[in-house]
Amino acid sequence: MAALTKAMCVVLVLVAAFAPAAEAAVGCGTVISYLAPCLPYVSNRGPLGNCCGGVQGLYGAAKSTADRQAICVCLKSLIGSYSGINTGKAAGLPKQCGLNIPYKISPSTNCATVR
């Protein structure tokens, strides 16, 4: 049992030593949670409704460059994976909600350039 405990400690130390230093705290699950109220609007099935609250919450959660890049990658993935998304409406959400983000929400956005 002591050998197993020591082995686990070594594994944990190695994992911690080689883990990325600045990993984004905002994952796709968080992005989906914030933007779920927007789906009817961007898919032409409903009004803007409570969407802006989610957009503004996500904007506030993006504290670092890594967060903003992770959100960008997730948004690109979401736009590409849901059929019926009006990309014009998706791209216009920040402005519609009174925000100015440093990149366009588009499947062609290069998220590595987002700061």
Side-chain angles (χ1 to χ4, degrees):
M1 184 63 142
L4 179 60
T5 302
K6 286 181 185 177
M8 289 301 292
C9 286
V10 169
V11 168
L12 289 174
V13 168
L14 288 173
V15 168
F18 291 103
E23 193 169 309
V26 180
C28 268
T30 301
V31 173
I32 291 168
S33 293
Y34 277 114
L35 299 183
C38 301
L39 192 55
Y41 176 73
V42 298
S43 59
N44 298 316
R45 292 183 290 138
L48 191 59
N50 294 328
C51 176
C52 286
V55 171
Q56 291 166 345
L58 183 59
Y59 181 82
K63 306 268 187 228
S64 68
T65 297
D67 289 338
R68 289 184 285 279
Q69 288 176 344
I71 291 167
C72 175
V73 169
C74 185
L75 289 173
K76 281 180 63 168
S77 173
L78 290 172
I79 288 173
S81 65
Y82 286 104
S83 62
I85 296 288
N86 180 324
T87 56
K89 280 187 170 182
L93 277 176
K95 184 176 180 181
Q96 183 112 10
C97 295
L99 298 171
N100 184 22
I101 63 170
Y103 61 91
K104 183 179 178 184
I105 299 172
S106 164
S108 62
T109 300
N110 179 355
C111 296
T113 64
V114 171
R115 299 286 172 239

